[in-house]
Amino acid sequence: MDQNSKPKSVLDSLGEEIVRIITPVSICMLLVVILISVLNNDSDSSGPSFTSIATYAYTENSSDSNWDKLKGALLNALVFVVVVTAVTFLLVLLFYFRCTKFLKYYMGFSSFLVLGFMGGEISLFLIGKFRVPIDCVTFGLSLFNFTVVGVLAVFMSKTAIVVTQGYLVVIGVFVAYWFALLPEWTTWVLLVAMALYDLAAVLLPGGPLRLLVELAISRDEDIPALVYEARPVVNPDSVPRGAVVQRRVWRERRENDDGSDDNLDSRSNLNSTVNSSLESSSGLERLGDENARNGVDVVDGQVSRADSELAAPLIQHRINVRMNLQEGGSSDDFALEGIGLGSSGAIKLGLGDFIFYSVLVARAAMYDFMTVYACYLAIVAGLGITLMLLAFYQKALPALPVSVLLGVLFYLLTRLLLETFVVQCSMNLLMF
Amino acid sequence: MEATPSDQTHNTAAAANHSSVAAISMSAANTNHRNPLRVDWPTIDGPLGLTEQDSVDHARRFFKFGFLFLPWLWAVNCFYFWPVLRRPGSNSDPELRRYVVGSSIGFMVFTVVLSTWALTFSIGGELLFGHAWDKLVMYNVAEKYGLTGLI
């Protein structure tokens, strides 16, 4: 096989990768939009009257003036960002003291809460709305099953990839639905605040996420985090020995932690923060590790020792040149020229990104479907831009800012400008 | 390609199961002693899934856990080891196959029982149950105990 031939087409593998990450994001957004439009048609921006960490400073009242609402929303967002920063630093601290077990258990516990309680409540809403004649025994049993298997899927990484991915998307849907129930102004200001926080936390030298990432690199460890990992694109053309060698690069793939904390809204005292921190589907990484350790042995039969040793320092250098999306690692493998063909590793996206994208679209859905389409396009475009920047800069990048800021911009433009235009045109039978 | 001892290749090939291509080319006498020409991955994820040894432990653990009223766990187990179910007998570990088949039987039995009950409940309705139906149906239970207001 030709050692230097490129894979079928870079566009094929790259396009496939991008599709594999955009699909779950789209599914998550679709599900949340459906839930919102089914359940919340009557109440729109009034929202439920629960207090949560995100409405701590100010509870929105529809009779307040716009300026008051804006001030209140800013206060809320500030409180939220402060809490998130504090918890992220706590996470860094815990990771620094190697309390990985504790983090993993916490992740399992919070997924249990999300799937069990939030999922249960959402299903109860649906059952109540559609008057589904299900009895409590069946319901309880199904919920119990669903929750336990979900916790297992997220907690240990040995379940089927599809199952793990599905459960992560479902967790994202539930949390996003709850976030979308916050008051309107608070939601929008919160989104913008989180986007800016993301930018700061990942790019500034003192940012908690950056510290976490650097800790993980220096220790050569995996961060426990709730990240969605797309299935890697396996290149069928790759030379066997090249394939073996480049699989070792996967070991260097660091998952960037999802440091964003999504707070559970709780009427009771559930102030726990879903600080997503369990690496799901890390079966990949684990195998990569084993492979790396056995790398030399495995390759022994195939490649000469000299080659493998040569490859190793190359890989070492690559460690620092990781590509990561904030709140989740996006790891693209690099083509090891001369040794084999490039095959990309899997792209990873943190669950916080899923959640905030879906919250944005859900909020747009509460207004009208036109804004949904506009915001969806904006978010996907933002995600594409982020991935391109990733390939360009090859370092940890936050995934929220571009998409969220574009999304908010498009929402405002659509709501304020496009809508009047389209409505007038339709009423006069001019267009659409 | 040098001939390496089959055991060692078996282990290392199993460990390097990222790339099926690599495994195939590397496996002169490979992971599956009965079928020297193909690599048979026991899981649905193929090279990204578990190795044969881990699979048995995994299947056993899920099978036993499923007895705690977790038919969905059995279903996930069967789904994960679908290739084992599809392959008739000879190619896979008999112990593994036993657990997977056990899981599938358990899942089917449980599902039949549960769906019988659920369908009887929903179709029979008030006619069959009288006013016990109202006490059992979920939306009334939720209202009675205020379950929708927990979080």
Side-chain angles (χ1 to χ4, degrees):
Chain A
M1 187 137 1
D2 187 7
Q3 297 269 336
N4 290 329
S5 65
K6 293 263 189 254
K8 229 175 195 155
S9 139
V10 169
L11 213 53
D12 271 346
S13 57
L14 189 62
E16 180 74 31
E17 293 259 336
I18 294 182
V19 165
R20 282 184 186 179
I21 196 71
I22 290 192
T23 310
V25 172
S26 310
I27 292 177
C28 185
M29 290 197 265
L30 179 71
L31 288 176
V32 179
V33 166
I34 290 178
L35 268 181
I36 290 276
S37 44
V38 159
L39 291 176
N40 287 68
N41 251 339
D42 29 9
S43 63
D44 69 309
S45 49
S46 50
S49 55
F50 58 82
T51 29
S52 61
I53 198 86
T55 48
Y56 183 69
Y58 163 77
T59 314
E60 190 165 309
N61 208 335
S62 36
S63 59
D64 289 342
S65 71
N66 276 354
W67 181 239
D68 280 339
K69 285 192 202 168
L70 184 63
K71 276 192 302 184
L74 279 171
L75 273 177
N76 276 340
L78 191 65
V79 168
F80 189 79
V81 168
V82 162
V83 170
V84 164
T85 320
V87 178
T88 315
F89 272 115
L90 179 67
L91 176 69
V92 173
L93 209 64
L94 283 176
F95 189 65
Y96 183 71
F97 289 124
R98 300 175 191 272
C99 307
T100 322
K101 273 281 180 179
F102 171 74
L103 287 173
K104 281 185 77 156
Y105 284 131
Y106 180 71
M107 278 349 292
F109 173 69
S110 56
S111 1
F112 173 75
L113 283 180
V114 170
L115 286 173
F117 284 100
M118 287 186 176
E121 281 214 41
I122 292 180
S123 3
L124 282 176
F125 284 151
L126 285 171
I127 288 178
K129 174 125 186 155
F130 291 117
R131 313 305 274 176
V132 177
I134 193 174
D135 63 302
C136 44
V137 171
T138 316
F139 177 77
L141 202 59
S142 322
L143 188 65
F144 172 64
N145 266 269
F146 181 69
T147 311
V148 169
V149 177
V151 171
L152 279 180
V154 158
F155 192 55
M156 33 175 272
S157 42
K158 290 202 206 143
T159 30
I161 292 184
V162 174
V163 170
T164 314
Q165 290 175 337
Y167 269 109
L168 284 173
V169 170
V170 160
I171 291 178
V173 166
F174 289 158
V175 179
Y177 176 77
W178 282 105
F179 264 102
L181 294 181
L182 293 173
E184 186 173 11
W185 285 78
T186 308
T187 318
W188 288 109
V189 177
L190 189 70
L191 280 170
V192 175
M194 282 308 292
L196 296 175
Y197 162 75
D198 211 19
L199 203 57
V202 173
L203 295 180
L204 289 183
L209 293 175
R210 189 178 172 134
L211 291 176
L212 200 58
V213 157
E214 284 166 6
L215 258 183
I217 300 177
S218 63
R219 274 199 219 159
D220 209 23
E221 249 178 43
D222 295 334
I223 310 173
L226 268 180
V227 293
Y228 177 95
E229 176 165 348
R231 206 182 275 260
V233 176
V234 176
N235 195 338
D237 297 339
S238 39
V239 180
R241 67 187 225 182
V244 167
V245 169
Q246 71 206 4
R247 288 303 178 263
R248 278 198 276 153
V249 180
W250 286 9
R251 173 176 172 243
E252 319 322 6
R253 203 159 33 105
R254 294 289 154 242
E255 310 56 60
N256 198 344
D257 171 46
D258 172 354
S260 110
D261 307 325
D262 316 285
N263 282 307
L264 288 174
D265 300 332
S266 61
R267 185 195 290 229
S268 50
N269 28 28
L270 268 165
N271 260 347
S272 51
T273 51
V274 181
N275 183 0
S276 32
S277 286
L278 179 70
E279 188 179 334
S280 58
S281 83
S282 58
L284 237 45
E285 283 71 83
R286 234 161 272 144
L287 293 172
D289 277 348
E290 285 174 50
N291 192 15
R293 274 178 235 124
N294 299 334
V296 179
D297 301 331
V298 158
V299 177
D300 206 9
Q302 297 291 124
V303 177
S304 63
R305 285 238 163 202
D307 270 358
S308 53
E309 280 162 19
L310 241 167
L314 255 182
I315 295 169
Q316 284 302 115
H317 286 303
R318 302 276 194 191
I319 294 182
N320 303 331
V321 189
R322 297 174 311 113
M323 297 198 273
N324 274 307
L325 284 174
Q326 181 273 342
E327 299 180 11
S330 152
S331 41
D332 276 337
D333 219 345
F334 314 92
L336 296 174
E337 308 279 61
I339 301 181
L341 306 166
S343 129
S344 4
I347 291 192
K348 300 159 120 186
L349 189 61
L351 216 56
D353 294 328
F354 274 77
I355 289 170
F356 284 111
Y357 293 163
S358 307
V359 169
L360 201 155
V361 178
R363 255 297 149 190
M366 287 193 196
Y367 182 68
D368 190 38
F369 278 119
M370 206 185 340
T371 41
V372 170
Y373 303 139
C375 291
Y376 173 72
L377 289 175
I379 289 180
V380 169
L383 192 58
I385 293 177
T386 314
L387 289 172
M388 281 203 302
L389 284 177
L390 214 56
F392 188 63
Y393 281 110
Q394 297 192 352
K395 59 188 273 243
L397 283 184
L400 275 186
V402 181
S403 288
V404 164
L405 294 176
L406 266 183
V408 171
L409 179 70
F410 272 50
Y411 175 79
L412 291 172
L413 287 178
T414 307
R415 180 166 174 169
L416 299 173
L417 300 179
L418 188 64
E419 193 189 4
T420 33
F421 173 66
V422 169
V423 165
Q424 288 300 318
C425 279
S426 320
M427 287 207 310
N428 291 311
L429 301 177
L430 200 58
M431 252 205 293
F432 311 110
Chain B
M1 185 183 330
E2 298 91 281
T4 43
S6 68
D7 263 7
Q8 178 160 22
T9 322
H10 172 87
N11 286 334
T12 52
N17 59 4
H18 271 310
S19 162
S20 54
V21 176
I24 290 174
S25 55
M26 163 175 5
S27 50
N30 67 3
T31 55
N32 196 332
H33 298 287
R34 293 160 280 247
N35 191 349
L37 291 179
R38 282 191 334 137
V39 179
D40 289 328
W41 302 106
T43 64
I44 204 171
D45 287 332
L48 303 170
L50 295 175
T51 62
E52 288 252 4
Q53 304 98 309
D54 289 337
S55 307
V56 177
D57 291 330
H58 187 265
R60 186 187 314 133
R61 216 157 11 122
F62 272 31
F63 179 64
K64 294 201 176 139
F65 255 133
F67 280 108
L68 300 172
F69 293 105
L70 291 169
W72 180 235
L73 193 62
W74 276 330
V76 166
N77 203 15
C78 295
F79 173 69
Y80 194 38
F81 291 111
W82 191 249
V84 173
L85 279 182
R86 295 301 285 162
R87 274 187 249 132
S90 59
N91 278 346
S92 47
D93 199 348
E95 211 182 317
L96 177 65
R97 196 180 161 80
R98 196 160 36 109
Y99 286 124
V100 176
V101 169
S103 300
S104 61
I105 293 178
F107 170 65
M108 286 193 289
V109 165
F110 213 108
T111 309
V112 163
V113 170
L114 195 63
S115 52
T116 317
W117 159 247
L119 283 174
T120 316
F121 186 83
S122 61
I123 298 180
E126 304 242 356
L127 289 176
L128 202 55
F129 288 89
H131 66 227
W133 196 84
D134 279 327
K135 287 201 219 129
L136 282 179
V137 79
M138 194 60 212
Y139 45 81
N140 285 344
V141 171
E143 271 170 43
K144 188 164 87 163
Y145 293 111
L147 291 175
T148 48
L150 277 183
I151 294 187

